Amino acid sequence: MLTRNAIPQPHSEYLQHAGLFRGLALSVLDEVAQLARQRSSQNDAFFFHQGDPATTLYVLIQGRVRIVQVTPEGQQVILRIISPGEMFGGIAALGEASYPASAQALEASVALAWDGETVARLMEEYPRIALNALRLLAGRYQEMQDRYRELATERVERRVARALLRLLRQTGRKVENGVLIDFPLSREDLAELTGTTLYTVSRILSGWEKAGLIETGRQRVLIRIPHKLVVIAEDLPPG
């Protein structure tokens, strides 16, 4: 049996919603939670940097984290926004490797963290964790392939619409006038998510705002008519 440390019981209940631990019994989740340590990060601080040795796997339990990569040309690209219940730093489970991107808190955030050796031992004792990790990593790989295809073949307007819809599915909160993307989101963030310029994103958002599709404020985006964004994202005929 693996050695335990003192992690509060509510965390083990929370892990039921994390894809990495899907299908595990509550007694196992309790053991997994006891083996974790808690990591906190303030707004704009980093859990790890691109190129650091990949030593730790994380599951976010509070806040938002963005996964950011700097290309060889020096361009910063946001690969993914991490929401509570999601894994990041999963490459640590594969052993000798470096983080291919940085993990930066978008707001005050808390994660449970397991070192690579502990993850390897858990996977040996509970093969379900290894299977879940492979599925999650395969899903991330497919997502990246889709993103590269979008960058190579799709109009910028479609890419921006798709990015907003992804964020809406992850963090959307229904409000009186539509669905609010419920974390700070700047136009520069959207430019980095879609591989385009701040000028282009500003022009597109301003056009959509004039048409009544969205409403923007200081680092906030309210989607007023989501189905019209779907029409743009999927290049459907206007209806």
Side-chain angles (χ1 to χ4, degrees), residues 148-165:
Y148 284 129
R149 176 184 51 76
E150 289 176 13
L151 290 172
T153 65
E154 294 184 357
R155 293 181 296 110
V156 176
E157 191 176 37
R158 289 188 68 189
R159 300 206 305 261
V160 175
R162 284 178 182 268
L164 287 175
L165 289 170

Side-chain angles (χ1 to χ4, degrees), residues 137-195:
L137 291 172
R140 296 284 170 84
Y141 177 77
Q142 183 61 54
E143 183 179 311
M144 291 310 304
Q145 292 292 96
D146 292 342
R147 288 282 304 281
Y148 284 129
R149 176 184 51 76
E150 289 176 13
L151 290 172
T153 65
E154 294 184 357
R155 293 181 296 110
V156 176
E157 191 176 37
R158 289 188 68 189
R159 300 206 305 261
V160 175
R162 284 178 182 268
L164 287 175
L165 289 170
R166 278 196 298 267
L167 295 174
L168 183 149
R169 287 191 292 269
Q170 279 187 282
T171 70
R173 176 169 61 87
K174 289 186 177 180
V175 294
E176 183 178 353
N177 297 322
V179 183
L180 179 68
I181 293 176
D182 199 17
F183 73 92
L185 179 69
S186 68
R187 295 187 174 196
E188 186 174 2
D189 291 334
L190 264 179
E192 293 175 0
L193 269 169
T194 54

Side-chain angles (χ1 to χ4, degrees), residues 51-65:
D52 286 349
T55 59
T56 307
L57 178 149
Y58 299 87
V59 169
L60 190 66
I61 62 173
Q62 179 183 316
R64 307 282 178 200
V65 170

Side-chain angles (χ1 to χ4, degrees), residues 191-207:
E192 293 175 0
L193 269 169
T194 54
T196 189
T197 65
L198 176 58
Y199 170 80
T200 300
V201 165
S202 295
R203 176 177 55 79
I204 290 170
L205 294 185
S206 295

